[in-house]
């Protein structure tokens, strides 16, 4: 399957993989800043954005297969990869398979306990159902500080401080993407993320976590670094599940720094 994607900027390539939500537009808050230093390739996973859904099983493995195929087809062997949430899990799975180069995973899924994944499903499913019901009035609701606070408290540490333009694509994506339900089921019911022994990944691994993440809660970071012993852990203070929302400058700097590009100053 050909993944819809955008390319911006020039320099060594950087592949961005989104989570549940808007497809490549999930990276809009930081995409232009990254493209000032790198050639950024941001994909729509199957069933998100403008890529059609998979015809077979939707699982973390099959979604990862689609990205691995894209890397091979585009001649991007050794590309640095960045993912957030479900995308964070996918880029860690790519690293575990030996695909890509440096890896940055932001608030990745797959490191929860049985109880935590049950809570994840029990809270996120109603949230998605709600935004589907409210689909027609989302621009108005998200244009209000009160509306953003009520709708996005699970996703952001400071939803009232965000702009409607920052959050609307992902919230609409949760409501509209054909693969939202199947991908969510794969996260909840599928196997947890496997690890990679020390020395087995193809490049550096950095795992970033928001200290106020209410989706993949911070205590899961210890499990992630135990399973990926080569990884370096970076904490985002005053940050929820979306570092590109709550800490865009810090997220940009981290990504460039940990994939061989450093911002001046």
């Amino acid at each position: 399957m050909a993944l819809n994607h955008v390319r911006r900027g020039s320099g060594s390539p950087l592949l961005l993989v989104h989570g549940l939500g808007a497809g490549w537009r999930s990276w809009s808050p930081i995409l232009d800043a990254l493209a000032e230093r790198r050639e950024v390739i941001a994909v729509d996973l199957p069933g998100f954005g403008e890529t059609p859904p998979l015809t077979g099983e939707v699982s973390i493995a099959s979604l990862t297969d689609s990205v691995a195929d894209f890397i091979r087809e585009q001649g991007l062997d050794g590309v640095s990869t960045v993912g957030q949430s479900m995308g964070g899990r996918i880029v860690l799975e790519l690293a575990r398979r030996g695909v890509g180069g440096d890896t940055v995973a932001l608030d990745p899924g797959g490191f929860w306990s049985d109880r935590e994944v049950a809570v994840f499903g029990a809270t996120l499913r109603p949230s998605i159902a709600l935004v589907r019901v409210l689909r027609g009035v989302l621009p108005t609701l998200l244009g209000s500080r009160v509306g953003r606070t009520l709708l996005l408290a699970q996703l952001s540490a400071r939803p009232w401080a965000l702009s409607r333009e920052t959050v609307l694509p992902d919230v609409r994506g949760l409501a509209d993407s054909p693969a939202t339900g199947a991908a969510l089921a794969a996260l909840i019911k599928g196997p947890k993320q496997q690890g990679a022994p020390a020395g087995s990944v193809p490049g550096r691994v950095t795992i970033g976590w928001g200290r106020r993440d209410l989706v993949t809660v911070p205590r899961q970071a210890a499990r992630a670094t135990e399973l990926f012993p080569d990884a370096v852990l970076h904490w985002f203070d005053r940050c929820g599940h979306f570092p590109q929302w709550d800490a865009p400058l810090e997220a940009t700097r981290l990504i460039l720094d940990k994939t061989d590009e450093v911002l001046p100053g």
Side-chain angles (χ1 to χ4, degrees), residues 72-148:
R72 184 181 65 255
E73 292 160 1
Q74 295 290 318
L76 293 171
D77 293 343
V79 68
S80 294
T81 61
V82 181
Q84 183 262 334
S85 191
M86 180 177 70
R89 181 170 180 184
I90 288 171
V91 298
L92 287 174
E93 175 61 16
L94 288 170
R96 190 189 72 82
R97 297 182 183 186
V99 177
D102 292 332
T103 301
V104 178
L106 305 176
D107 297 84
F111 298 102
W112 31 51
S113 67
D114 291 343
R115 181 180 181 278
E116 287 164 353
V117 75
V119 171
F120 167 77
T123 55
L124 202 56
R125 277 183 172 136
S127 297
I128 292 171
L130 178 61
V131 297
R132 285 173 172 163
V133 170
L134 298 174
R135 173 65 175 79
V137 295
L138 286 176
T140 300
L141 288 174
L142 294 175
S144 157
R145 288 167 61 93
V146 173
R148 290 193 298 275

Side-chain angles (χ1 to χ4, degrees), residues 6 9 62 68 70 79 132 139 173 176 184 210-211 213-214 220 237 247 260 264:
V6 297
S62 63
F70 176 84
V79 68
R132 285 173 172 163
D176 295 345
L184 181 60
R211 290 193 184 274
D213 190 341
L214 299 179
Q220 294 170 18
D237 294 324
D260 288 326

